[in-house]
Amino acid sequence: VYFLFQALRQISQRTISTASRKQFENRVHEHQKLFQEDNGLPVHLKGGAKDALFYRTTMGLALCG
């Protein structure tokens, strides 16, 4: 039992310590430029087509409800 416990402990430590984390680049500055740009769009639609789809879906559900 002790040997099994030690083996499991070693395996768990090895997988946790050697697990590679994905490196994400900091894109906050890009998003700030996008949302602060004066292009006549309201802020809730500046994210593009996905934001427009979410907005229209929400408005449609609100009207039906």
Side-chain angles (χ1 to χ4, degrees):
V1 175
Y2 180 74
F3 177 72
L4 181 62
F5 178 72
Q6 286 291 80
L8 287 174
R9 188 171 142 209
Q10 275 186 333
I11 291 171
S12 67
Q13 284 178 346
R14 198 172 326 152
T15 54
I16 291 172
S17 66
T18 60
S20 65
R21 294 181 180 168
K22 290 186 177 183
Q23 295 295 323
F24 295 104
E25 64 181 77
N26 188 357
R27 295 178 37 191
V28 173
H29 188 65
E30 295 171 22
H31 288 290
Q32 283 177 338
K33 277 186 178 180
L34 173 72
F35 285 99
Q36 291 177 356
E37 184 178 307
D38 187 19
N39 56 5
L41 289 175
V43 71
H44 59 274
L45 295 177
K46 286 191 177 188
K50 187 171 69 171
D51 281 351
L53 178 68
F54 284 142
Y55 175 74
R56 289 185 181 128
T57 303
T58 303
M59 288 298 112
L61 289 172
L63 289 173
C64 291

